[in-house]
Amino acid sequence: MTVDRDGMENLPAALDLAAFERTSSGLFRPVGALPDWLRLDHDTPPEIDLAERFPLLEFFLSDCASVFETGTPARLESDVWEEDEPDGSRRHLQVTALKLGSRSLAILRSLPRERFTYQQLYHDYQLAEEEARQLKQVAERATQAKSEFLATMSHEIRTPLNAIIGMADVLSSSPLTPDQQRCVEVFQRNGISLLNLINDILDLSKVESGKVELETVSMDLRDVISRALEVIDGRAKAKGLALKQCIAPEIPVYLIGDPNRLRQVIINLLGNAIKFTDQGYLEVRVEQDPEGAGPASLRVAVSDTGIGIPEEKLSLVFESFTQADSSTTRNYGGTGLGLTISRQLVELMGGRIWVESQVGRGSTFFFTVKLGVDENPSARTLPEPAQLSTADLERKTSGLRILLADDSEDNRFLILSYLNQANCSIEIAGDGRECVDKFRAGRFDVVLMDVEMPVMDGYSATREIRRYEQEIGICATPVLALTAHAFADMADKSREAGFTTHLTKPIRKTTLLRALAPYSSLSPSASGPSAVSLADQPTQDEPSPDETNDTLLVRVERGMEDVVPAYLDKRRKDVQTYRQALATQDFDTLRMLGHKLKGTGTGYGFPILTEIGGAIEQAALRKDAGSIAAGVDRLAWYTEKVKLDYAQ
Ligand code: ADP
């Protein structure tokens, strides 16, 4: 656009404008005649200082420097301001800064007064509001239509797609020529990536349309992370990548939040990490957010030793459908939506997400979330990992390095028999002191810690272990308390001591295996199919002993044939010890014997012994010799009468 200088000289008067051209000294030279309303003190001066004449323009004029200094046409408009007129009325003024060709102009206008009556303003405001309301309605209808369309589309596409993928799976396990096999693999691969894309789009649209409601339930953070790691466990093994997890010991065990959404974000990040990493390791690290408030503000870091992201792409990867490199889809697949969804979910959970990376060295994605602390986890049972059969659980826990601290030989024996098929390596400690010493000397994936032990109890031993870990700067090893007490009584104490979770005696075999399973994905030697495929299998409950059997015929579980007769034998012999203690009113010994019987009975298949033990323990606490004697009689009678049948 060009302006004819001469034509311009005549414009201001015709349009009732005051036009100025900026000179090299930063002052303004009038262009053409100036209107009266400008009320300059003397006749048209060669140059005027606009900022001095209109002090309200000072800031605007300094902003104008950017307009005046550009080489291209540019325009900037000031706010409207008012000036008093001699007749008491008010004039509304506005200035526009223009860069036209090489000319820097300031055009001052007096605006028509009627436009600025308050009625007019109010009317304009109402119009604008109505317009906004209608726009919002249109937008809402559009979003709703989009969501409905996506939901329908996703259903319509997913149903046949599932059939295609399913049939491809069936076909791939039938005898095929190598060429046919390759064709089927193409179906499978593309079918699955299409399914992922649909799921991602659906997820994103749900978050965008505000349809995602976060749950606020009690959760075990360790369980959330272990389950996320389980999902990529198979792929990590196939690529030879180590998986690491580290949760700072000061993070409370039980938190309140949305475990599924949290896990989804971690899985997204781990999924990327494994995709872009060919050697080294992946790590999930959780610490308290240094900028957050309280122990439940977390900062999670998912790191890898993969290809990394160039610096100029770091801020782009969180945008929808954006990949760091245009060849990414070709080489690694993906849709460019995973991080967008993760960012939305993290923001929904009150946090933020960012990435640090170095090309060729790896990336670390950080995110923060604000969760609550579950102060009263008494109603909690153990985390329920995917419903696996005993055999699956045994396979999963295979290879775990366990340190078991228990002073009761029977208990130790019981745990060892439970883990007999699981192929774990187990080191034994007879008391808390020995446990701490062995912990310092060895490397363990998990510690099973009895709470009541001589020399040093489980609480003190766990505290020492936590102190030691902090001292040498290693991550907290899971320590599972073995206790005959209800958790409600010991929640605070155990949390304070640093236990990861607890198992209440009597402990069943599947309970123990389930409790150990989440830690197995961290053990490099652990093997077995990934949790994704296992998760679909139904539970096979272990055979439960017949608790009310009148004939006292007890079915002994497979693998327990050797240990059960010896256990019963010992209990028969204990009867004498009980009677001696009763005679000398040694209630401490009686309580201890009862406590141990309670802890082991069910594990060996005799819930009745657990019940008798509990009754003796309680009676000993009350120093109620009559009830103790009745309990001991029941014990003697039961251990004499019980007949064993062996499960095949
Ligand atoms: P995609 O489905 O493509 O993985 P994302 O939104 O999850 O979509 O990631 C966007 C892009 O960010 C990826 O395509 C990749 O270029 C880059 N990226 C994400 N995570 C990593 C990582 N751990 N290492 C290297 N590049 C990554």
Side-chain angles (χ1 to χ4, degrees):
M1 175 164 149
T2 56
V3 171
D4 164 10
R5 179 179 282 263
D6 293 330
M8 187 134 180
E9 300 290 327
N10 300 322
L11 269 177
L15 296 176
D16 198 21
L17 302 172
F20 300 90
E21 180 161 9
R22 191 169 179 259
T23 64
S24 54
S25 59
L27 297 174
F28 288 84
R29 182 181 65 77
V31 179
L34 291 176
D36 292 342
W37 53 258
L38 200 57
R39 287 185 286 109
L40 291 174
D41 292 342
H42 44 84
D43 286 342
T44 312
E47 284 186 346
I48 62 169
D49 184 348
L50 280 182
E52 191 185 295
R53 166 65 187 84
F54 301 108
L56 285 172
L57 278 189
E58 190 184 337
F59 288 114
F60 175 74
L61 289 170
S62 61
D63 285 349
C64 286
S66 61
V67 174
F68 294 144
E69 273 146 34
T70 116
T72 52
R75 179 176 188 277
L76 190 65
E77 207 159 67
S78 75
D79 290 335
V80 175
W81 79 97
E82 293 180 16
E83 280 208 331
D84 291 330
E85 290 287 283
D87 65 2
S89 66
R90 296 176 76 75
R91 183 177 291 276
H92 297 274
L93 296 170
Q94 189 175 34
V95 66
T96 304
L98 278 176
K99 179 78 180 181
L100 291 176
S102 59
R103 305 184 74 182
S104 297
L105 301 165
I107 315 282
L108 200 59
R109 284 181 297 153
S110 167
L111 297 168
R113 283 171 218 202
E114 63 279 18
R115 244 185 81 72
F116 286 89
T117 60
Y118 285 109
Q119 286 86 338
Q120 183 65 36
L121 275 179
Y122 184 62
H123 180 70
D124 286 358
Y125 166 75
Q126 278 182 321
L127 273 183
E129 205 180 36
E130 174 59 22
E131 209 174 332
R133 207 176 53 79
Q134 284 181 7
L135 278 176
K136 188 162 167 261
Q137 262 182 5
V138 171
E140 275 169 4
R141 271 203 299 274
T143 308
Q144 200 181 350
K146 185 177 99 176
S147 302
E148 276 164 19
F149 167 74
L150 281 171
T152 318
M153 182 202 77
S154 102
H155 178 77
E156 293 301 317
I157 296 180
R158 265 198 289 197
T159 312
L161 199 54
N162 271 330
I164 295 171
I165 297 171
M167 280 301 120
D169 285 347
V170 172
L171 208 57
S172 82
S173 46
S174 64
L176 295 174
T177 66
D179 273 352
Q180 288 169 333
Q181 186 66 42
R182 265 196 297 280
C183 291
V184 174
E185 278 166 17
V186 174
F187 288 153
Q188 287 176 310
R189 215 176 28 250
N190 287 285
I192 287 169
S193 64
L194 190 52
L195 195 61
N196 286 339
L197 172 64
I198 291 170
N199 289 341
D200 277 357
I201 292 180
L202 200 66
D203 249 1
L204 190 62
S205 81
K206 268 200 229 147
V207 184
E208 275 180 347
S209 60
K211 286 230 168 81
V212 171
E213 283 197 11
L214 290 181
E215 275 195 303
T216 43
V217 296
S218 177
M219 62 179 177
D220 179 346
L221 182 69
R222 280 137 188 102
D223 183 43
V224 170
I225 291 172
S226 299
R227 289 206 207 178
L229 285 165
E230 272 178 10
V231 173
I232 56 151
D233 188 40
R235 273 183 288 164
K237 284 205 179 84
K239 284 183 116 176
L241 300 171
L243 296 181
K244 301 185 188 179
Q245 106 171 295
C246 180
I247 301 177
E250 66 273 17
I251 308 273
V253 176
Y254 298 114
L255 295 165
I256 296 201
D258 189 329
N260 291 325
R261 294 302 176 180
L262 187 59
R263 193 163 48 116
Q264 187 181 351
V265 175
I266 299 174
I267 290 175
N268 276 352
L269 299 181
L270 280 172
N272 280 343
I274 198 157
K275 196 157 72 174
F276 297 107
T277 306
D278 285 329
Q279 56 190 20
Y281 64 88
L282 316 180
E283 183 183 49
V284 181
R285 180 176 276 270
V286 187
E287 287 159 344
Q288 269 178 15
D289 178 7
E291 288 162 21
S297 288
L298 310 183
R299 188 180 71 181
V300 183
V302 177
S303 315
D304 63 59
T305 50
I307 61 169
I309 303 171
E311 200 179 333
E312 69 276 12
K313 297 288 164 83
L314 286 179
S315 58
L316 298 180
V317 294
F318 295 101
E319 303 298 325
S320 316
F321 298 106
T322 306
Q323 300 185 317
D325 184 326
S326 53
S327 63
T328 301
T329 307
R330 202 166 54 247
N331 295 332
Y332 300 98
T335 57
L337 283 178
L339 289 175
T340 314
I341 295 171
S342 301
R343 188 185 60 191
Q344 309 249 24
L345 290 174
V346 164
E347 286 172 1
L348 214 58
M349 290 188 276
R352 62 192 190 95
I353 187 166
W354 70 100
V355 56
E356 289 171 9
S357 184
Q358 263 187 303
V359 172
R361 309 196 77 170
S363 315
T364 300
F365 282 82
F366 294 92
F367 71 89
T368 58
V369 277
K370 290 193 177 68
L371 303 173
V373 181
D374 185 0
E375 299 287 356
N376 183 22
S378 52
R380 271 189 67 85
T381 49
L382 271 172
E384 272 295 314
Q387 297 281 293
L388 308 182
S389 70
T390 308
D392 289 332
L393 286 166
E394 276 171 344
R395 245 198 323 275
K396 269 206 78 55
T397 43
S398 162
L400 268 183
R401 294 160 302 184
I402 301 172
L403 175 56
L404 167 65
D406 200 316
D407 61 318
S408 151
E409 199 193 325
D410 290 330
N411 239 332
R412 294 199 301 253
F413 196 55
L414 184 68
I415 303 268
L416 289 175
S417 341
Y418 280 171
L419 297 176
N420 200 4
Q421 305 290 319
N423 195 23
C424 303
S425 69
I426 305 174
E427 185 120 3
I428 302 282
D431 59 60
R433 179 77 271 153
E434 198 183 333
C435 176
V436 175
D437 291 344
K438 291 205 161 161
F439 184 86
R440 294 169 80 111
R443 284 201 53 154
F444 301 97
D445 301 309
V446 58
V447 181
L448 292 171
M449 177 86 78
D450 186 23
V451 171
E452 282 192 32
M453 283 184 290
V455 186
M456 178 188 278
D457 69 14
Y459 297 114
S460 314
T462 305
R463 254 180 239 118
E464 282 221 7
I465 286 178
R466 295 294 179 232
R467 237 193 322 273
Y468 169 70
E469 286 168 338
Q470 277 196 326
E471 218 171 87
I472 64 164
I474 56 169
C475 291
T477 304
V479 180
L480 279 52
L482 308 175
T483 168
H485 299 286
F487 191 52
D489 299 335
M490 52 168 282
D492 289 341
K493 210 171 160 194
S494 81
R495 195 169 31 227
E496 180 261 314
F499 283 118
T500 310
T501 185
H502 81 289
L503 299 171
T504 312
K505 292 177 186 175
I507 299 161
R508 308 288 304 273
K509 181 170 168 176
T510 37
T511 315
L512 178 69
L513 290 172
R514 267 199 202 125
L516 292 173
Y519 307 110
S520 62
S521 56
L522 310 174
S523 160
S525 49
S527 60
S530 78
V532 186
S533 56
L534 290 174
D536 299 326
Q537 296 182 13
T539 321
Q540 287 170 21
D541 274 330
E542 46 178 328
S544 65
D546 185 353
E547 291 169 20
T548 55
N549 198 329
D550 285 331
T551 63
L552 295 185
L553 186 65
V554 171
R555 182 162 271 250
V556 178
E557 282 177 41
R558 210 148 12 129
M560 299 287 281
E561 301 92 332
D562 300 339
V563 297
V564 168
Y567 173 76
L568 279 177
D569 232 28
K570 282 207 203 155
R571 298 296 75 80
R572 240 173 257 127
K573 290 191 183 122
D574 278 349
V575 171
Q576 259 331 87
T577 323
Y578 281 101
R579 297 220 156 109
Q580 269 163 18
L582 248 178
T584 55
Q585 304 255 306
D586 180 357
F587 292 111
D588 270 352
T589 302
L590 288 163
R591 186 192 66 77
M592 187 268 293
L593 285 170
H595 186 79
K596 292 207 160 134
L597 183 60
K598 179 172 96 179
T600 55
T602 303
Y604 280 91
F606 305 101
I608 290 188
L609 292 184
T610 288
E611 186 207 313
I612 297 173
I616 294 177
E617 183 188 18
Q618 288 305 313
L621 282 170
R622 297 194 307 271
K623 299 197 174 23
D624 174 356
S627 302
I628 298 173
V632 175
D633 286 347
R634 267 179 88 201
L635 174 65
W637 180 83
Y638 186 85
T639 48
E640 287 302 330
K641 292 282 176 205
V642 72
K643 295 239 174 351
L644 304 178
D645 176 31
Y646 295 93
Q648 283 309 313

